[in-house]
Amino acid sequence: MRRRTRLAAAAARLSAPVWSSHLLFVKTKKCAGTTVALVVRRIARLANISMFSVAPWEWSKSHPCASLVTHPPFRALLDAHPRHIGFSYECSRSSIEPMVSAHMRGALALTIVREPLARALAAFYHFGVGFQQKPNTTAAKLAWLQKERDSLFQYIRRPADATAAAALANYDVVLITERLDESMVRLRLRLGLPQHAVLYFDGKTSHGRSKDGVLRRPPHVPLAWEEPAFRDAAAAVVRGSADAELYALAVSAHERAVAALQPNFADELGAFRTLLGEARQACTRAAWRRSGRGTDGCYNHGRENGCLYTCLDGFK
């Protein structure tokens, strides 16, 4: 009962957001982007701000990312509200720049990055093996890594950005997958939100089982489980890439930001992790009872771990 009381009290303490502009989230692939997108949805609801997704299939198949801004229903939504929270779901920053320039000028921008080798391998297992049925061989993986070595940089950059540093300069907050708790605390402090606004579960259980017990996607093999010879060859492919530089710069900036928030940041992080643990325990139990199958039974309504997030979003 005491845990529920503390969580309910946290849910009631929604302070006014300190940011006054639009908020733009550029969702990157295989970087825990779905997890952050679900948190962004909650922030929009708590702050009572219009939320939209920049995803062509939600508006018109005849309007790809670059021309979506000309699609009348999309423009009507943008024109109807003075402030928006938007996230680019399958559209690169360059492709949506006309929309940002015309309708979200001065937006507070955020994105998330991940260690490039781990991200590229996750993409290989998810997209390469899972969707394209590529063979799980050393040659296929190395070819995929070669193709992916600059893909994150290309995805988050604006057309004029020639370097990783220039691309990162466009973002007010860059979250780090490997330091997600710290990143969420930084995000909430930057936006002036309470702790419960950034509570999260993993947004996806990509290798979980569907209702018929069949694997939805092949398991993502951790880098540590790969053969040593492959790990060495893979590291050589990624070394010196734009994505490697991007990640190193992002981690360095994250560490500087955390250091600037000390000594209070350590207490903020500890309090967040305590609340996160309590909320996860309570919501996982509730989700288990509703689904009868635990976490893997929560793949519903296209929201991946949807029933878990429904619990987090409405926890009182």
Side-chain angles (χ1 to χ4, degrees):
M1 177 63 71
R2 191 161 50 199
R3 282 178 178 171
R4 292 292 296 270
T5 301
R6 286 203 301 270
L7 286 171
R13 292 194 301 268
L14 177 60
S15 58
V18 299
W19 89 97
S20 58
S21 63
H22 305 291
L23 178 65
L24 174 68
F25 171 51
V26 178
K27 175 187 176 293
T28 51
K29 298 179 181 180
K30 309 314 297 178
C31 294
T34 299
T35 297
V36 179
L38 289 169
V39 170
V40 169
R41 289 180 191 272
R42 184 187 306 120
I43 292 172
R45 180 178 61 82
L46 292 175
N48 195 28
I49 298 174
S50 171
M51 171 80 186
F52 68 89
S53 168
V54 186
W57 64 82
E58 293 188 9
W59 299 95
S60 171
K61 291 182 179 179
S62 63
H63 283 78
C65 300
S67 63
L68 190 59
V69 69
T70 66
H71 187 45
F74 188 77
R75 291 194 63 178
L77 180 145
L78 294 176
D79 292 338
H81 300 279
R83 192 154 62 119
H84 301 282
I85 291 181
F87 76 93
S88 178
Y89 190 69
E90 295 291 347
C91 298
S92 68
R93 177 65 187 268
S94 291
S95 70
I96 66 168
E97 197 58 26
M99 181 273 291
V100 175
S101 297
H103 295 277
M104 298 186 75
R105 187 176 298 276
L108 190 150
L110 60 140
T111 191
I112 182 167
V113 300
R114 182 180 182 182
E115 193 282 318
L117 182 50
R119 191 206 66 80
L121 276 177
F124 170 77
Y125 285 113
H126 186 78
F127 298 111
V129 178
F131 284 94
Q132 302 174 25
Q133 270 119 53
K134 291 185 178 294
N136 185 8
T137 63
T138 295
K141 283 184 281 194
L142 290 175
W144 186 277
L145 293 178
Q146 186 66 45
K147 180 190 75 170
E148 289 275 315
R149 65 191 308 269
D150 295 335
S151 61
L152 191 58
F153 163 68
Q154 294 295 342
Y155 196 83
I156 72 166
R157 64 184 286 269
R158 297 188 307 179
D161 298 334
T163 66
L168 288 175
N170 298 315
Y171 295 90
D172 299 274
V173 181
V174 178
L175 296 87
I176 310 294
T177 304
E178 290 80 6
R179 304 187 186 187
L180 199 50
D181 287 1
E182 293 180 1
S183 295
M184 288 298 186
V185 173
R186 280 185 57 216
L187 177 62
R188 85 159 191 87
L189 292 174
R190 178 63 178 82
L191 298 183
L193 295 170
Q195 288 180 342
H196 78 280
V198 294
L199 294 174
Y200 71 93
F201 284 102
D202 289 344
K204 290 181 179 176
T205 306
S206 296
H207 57 275
R209 297 181 184 275
S210 59
K211 293 181 180 179
D212 58 6
V214 177
L215 283 172
R216 291 195 298 268
R217 299 283 181 268
H220 296 179
V221 179
L223 181 61
W225 294 5
E226 301 279 3
E227 293 293 330
F230 168 75
R231 294 202 301 267
D232 292 342
V237 170
V238 173
R239 190 178 302 120
S241 65
D243 282 8
E245 182 184 6
L246 182 82
Y247 182 74
L249 289 172
V251 169
S252 179
H254 172 84
E255 290 175 344
R256 291 196 302 273
V258 168
L261 292 168
Q262 297 293 6
N264 295 331
F265 187 85
D267 292 337
E268 293 279 0
L269 180 61
F272 174 69
R273 284 175 169 165
T274 297
L275 184 64
L276 183 62
E278 294 175 350
R280 284 177 171 177
Q281 183 180 28
C283 286
T284 300
R285 284 201 305 268
W288 184 286
R289 287 196 299 270
R290 284 198 300 273
S291 70
R293 291 181 299 276
T295 301
D296 285 336
C298 296
Y299 193 94
N300 63 347
H301 306 303
R303 291 184 64 195
E304 277 84 8
N305 278 340
C307 61
L308 297 180
Y309 266 88
T310 299
C311 178
L312 283 184
D313 290 348
F315 200 92
K316 295 181 180 179

